Amino acid sequence: MKPVPRIRKRDGELVEFDESRIADAIYKAALSVGGEDRFIAEELAGVVSLFLEKSFQGVIPTIEDVQDMVEKVLIETGHAGTAKSYILYREERTRIRDAEARTRPPVQGRLFDPGPVLVLDAAEEQVGPLSGEVLSRKLVAEARLSPRTADEVARAVEDRALQLGLESVTGTLLARLIDVELISRGLLKAVDNRGGVLVPRQSVERSLYPKTHARSGTPAERIAERVLRQYALEEQLPRSCAEAHLDGRIRVIGLGRPSALFAATLSADAIRTWGIPWLKGRFRPEAVADPRRFTALLGRAVRGIAPHVSDGLSLCRLNMLLAPLLAGRSKTDLREEAWHLLSEMAGIPGLEIDLGLAPPPIFASRKARGPDGNSLEETYARFTGTSLQLASAFLEVRGTAAGLGPRSELPRLTLTLGPDALDQDEVLAVVSRAIGEAMAREPVLIVFDREDLPILGTSRTRVRMEDAARLTDTANLSVAVGGRVVINLPRAAYRAGEGHIGDFMREIEAQAELALAALAARSRVIMRSAAAPDGALSPITEGRGDIPPLLNMGGAAWSLGVAGLNEAIGYLTGEELHESDEAAKLGVKTLGLVRLVSSGFARAENLAIGLDAEDDPAICRVLADLDRAEYPRLTDRIPAAYTPGVALRSDAPVDLAVRLETEGRLGIPLRTATVRCFLGEDGHPAPETIIALMWKTWHNTRVKQMLLGRREP
Amino acid sequence: MIGSSTPPIRGIIESSLTHWDGRIVAVVFVGGCNLRCGGCPSPHLIGDGCDQGEIPLDSVLDAIYRRRRWIDGVVIKGGEPLLKPEVLELLELLRDFGLEIRIDTNGTCPEALSEVIRRDLVDFVSMEVKAPLTGQYHRVAGTTVDLGAIFDSIGILLSGEVDYEFRTVVYDGQLTSDDVMAIARTIKGARRYVLRAVKDKGPSRTVLRGLARSAGRHVAGCHVDGRPQDRETPFALFADGDERMNA
Ligand code: SF4
């Protein structure tokens, strides 16, 4: 065991601990009671230093601490006489010191002198004298020091401020003085406990005066995101997960907004029935029966919720839920309503409107909710015509975007096809229109909802609603996806090395475990924020009286993302996913392993975790950048951005049939995966041909989503 | 190797969405052609020498078999696929797969055409009528053409025993609008007539649409081949000033 390296003198100075001086003092005390064995004194001094080391781990003892320990050791080892002499000698020294102190003139600028140092606490917008007492209390609370050590540190900090001749200190400087004092005393744990996030001035200035226009958000949002990201990495995630995020093995999404959900789906019927949660009251029936007024209220609700969602927000089956309000209206009227709704929702980032083509089977035979929010005699099936016409109107209006400003500001439309939808002529008319838009303007996402229970979510994460009991009411067609952590699959391959499939699988397992631990940490933060009485999320996650919560966090889903499967397998086997059946099979096996690890974890933690393809180009680029930095020798082999999710390389020389079959197969273990179909390369297929392709994709594969377009945006 | 007496196969597209409206098809290119059109899109297929690389029939059938759940049919193109009698054996093999068959022909082989129709080896014939059936035809085709054969082929298709379309590629400086009208009169009563322009070498789409409208007086349906938005006019909801605002 190492001896205590330093002790603190009465004046605060730190000096090297010297065991021989202890031996000297004991020997002197022993001489005065007739002892003369110097060897025993040295032995006892050794015991004192051993005990000091044991009792003051990480804390620097003061002279008083050392002297207390000498007394204790002398008494406990049976040297009572020597102990008594030592105590008398010690008291004598204290008396002399006190007398000297009384006669000495006060030192200029000492503690509690008139004219104390002022603390300019900009964060709290306060100014006040530097008070040792206040500082000590703070140190006990924040750094978790013992009151005695806290007093000493506080005193030392005050001394330091005085020695430096400061008349005032900023909150930032004071924090640094405290940290320096704690560090010099070896109290690293206390520094850690104090935590805190420092924002360098340059970063603040970069946020205030960005050099490029690409930076999103206001300066306040950018600075807040920076601070919160750092806080999340240092305080909210386990250290191993934060390291894995920083070195690129995993990517924790949304760290800059730690209390925001990753994605959410809302039911317009929830707003219609229960009102806007934070307004604490239901709407009068006539307010929600009028489509135009309801559109305005819905817009208000969505705008209020959007800041609490970091990736995407969707309004599910909007055409179906609005159909009873609009039954019997002309096509022109429907287009007018669609125009107003899109206009109301313009500029809300990440908003998607989900158009359901054919209601989910569980609703087809259910009584529809009427304009005033009460049940009608008619079922949803009865409103299918209006619902489809409204979907068509949305597509038309968004397509021309006439009078709505830039198309990029408008919510994206996605089409969810239920079973048999592609066998119904009325549905095909809407699908044809969507295809026309996709081929003429911008890609359209088609979702294949193959089961009886509806699938809800955004284009990047979808969850099947399994809780049939909740599905008795369309107001419950909502779901929250709390957070996402992405596994960088190629990294596992680089760590394992070419050809080392066994090692690759072990690396995948390790990365999956890190990602899951990070997801669990994120879930604790989100759930805490959702449950806090005045927490950021509580208005949308807490119910009031008989009004259920807008988003039921008990049923929240969590997302484990995967990216770059193609590059991982390509590096490992020398063949990309499209190049051999073996490569594709290894891809399936890899995803199966991730799924296995995650479902075990999900059960143990009681979290609904699903696997999603990470297809955000920005994230696929960041992961590749981090890998190039980590493996400079592989720079030439790592692409600018990884292939999204589990897809084949976009320019892989395979025809669409092979792409759909292979990606469909790879997507089976996933909850959400999109096959990107860009059909304008060799001519322009007729809408009927594209419908044939969709029909075969539905029947021949398990593809979950198709992004249809003319060419890669 | 099977099918040693089949015609030379020079190329295959395993699955295409653009060769037969409404169907996903494999496209098989047969080598050899009896015409020498100036703007031939596939001059490498005109000769039928084996030196130009032939794809073995079994690998063609294998590629088609592997996509059997995706493709509805096969389009046989050339060159001129009906030139060689061996094409019948290829069509029979494909029929055994249960696939629909479309043949794209230049109309110079009416006997072979009626034979494949008689033996029910084809579901759709697309015949290119290159010019009015006058001396102009020889100039466009780059060689002397038996115009009687072209007339016969048109007659066979107009008889309606098999579904069909006529096609004309409109090149600037080669065909005028009067020429297109003359062709439309020749195929008077046809179910479907498709006009196509080659990018940068033909009239604009607007001109082509005008031509299609005029030709529509003689045939049941005259279409412009191309982008889907030509197939339906997008609905404009508000005054067009709004649309410009977004530009
Ligand atoms: S008929 Fe067709 S393949 Fe033959 S030369 Fe003319 S364009 Fe080329």
Side-chain angles (χ1 to χ4, degrees), chain B residues 33-37 39-43 46 78-80 106 128 130 141:
Chain B
C33 187
N34 49 353
L35 305 188
R36 296 292 180 270
C37 312
C40 177
S42 39
I46 294 178
E80 173 46 50
N106 62 18
E128 187 172 354
K130 293 178 178 288

Side-chain angles (χ1 to χ4, degrees), chain B residues 105-120:
Chain B
T105 175
N106 62 18
T108 53
C109 311
E111 296 82 13
L113 180 61
S114 44
E115 180 68 4
V116 292
I117 294 173
R118 191 185 63 77
R119 287 168 61 175
D120 190 27

Side-chain angles (χ1 to χ4, degrees), chain A residues 63 129 262 289 305 321 331 519 534 579 628 685 691 701:
Chain A
I63 291 270
F262 176 71
I305 293 162
L321 299 186
K331 283 188 181 176
L519 202 54
D534 282 316
E579 287 180 309
R628 265 192 304 276
I691 287 173
T701 71

